[in-house]
């Protein structure tokens, strides 16, 4: 099972509201701080709620964005 700590390095997590077609990026590090890194991603689904229309949604998208190490090369090299 995929847990939040598996996602933090290489993936972005998006919640999608089918009612108003809104897509919001979830901050994985914030979620880990609040729920713990061992939290399984599929368990997050029941906690999601759209901020705009307040509909509960279970639609999560996981997007691969690459390893954090590779970003760091660009961020920290001077
Ligand atoms: Zn909505």
């Amino acid at each position: 099972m995929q847990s939040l700590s598996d996602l933090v390095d290489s993936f972005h997590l998006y919640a999608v509201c089918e009612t108003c077609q809104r897509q919001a990026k979830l901050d994985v590090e914030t979620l880990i701080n609040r729920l713990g890194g061992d939290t399984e991603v599929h368990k997050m689904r029941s906690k999601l709620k759209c901020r705009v229309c307040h509909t509960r949604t279970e639609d999560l998208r996981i997007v691969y964005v690459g390893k954090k190490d590779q970003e760091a090369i660009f961020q920290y090299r001077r």
Side-chain angles (χ1 to χ4, degrees):
M1 274 301 160
Q2 225 166 10
S3 68
L4 288 175
S5 53
D6 291 332
L7 296 181
V8 73
D9 283 341
S10 315
F11 296 88
H12 283 171
L13 200 56
Y14 291 88
V16 182
C17 176
E18 286 175 15
T19 307
C20 62
Q21 298 294 309
R22 203 166 170 273
Q23 185 168 284
K25 183 171 175 288
L26 303 175
D27 188 338
V28 178
E29 286 181 34
T30 302
L31 291 170
I32 288 174
N33 287 336
R34 279 167 56 185
L35 305 169
D38 293 337
T39 304
E40 288 166 11
V41 175
H42 74 97
K43 287 186 180 165
M44 295 275 310
R45 292 177 193 270
S46 58
K47 297 181 195 292
L48 289 172
K49 198 174 176 184
C50 177
R51 278 185 199 166
V52 174
C53 67
H54 304 291
T55 304
R56 287 198 169 273
T57 175
E58 298 203 344
D59 197 356
L60 268 183
R61 276 174 208 166
I62 299 168
V63 180
Y64 183 72
V65 290
K67 294 271 182 206
K68 217 176 196 176
D69 297 351
Q70 292 168 351
E71 284 176 15
I73 293 170
F74 294 102
Q75 278 174 356
Y76 300 118
R77 184 176 284 172
R78 288 181 188 177

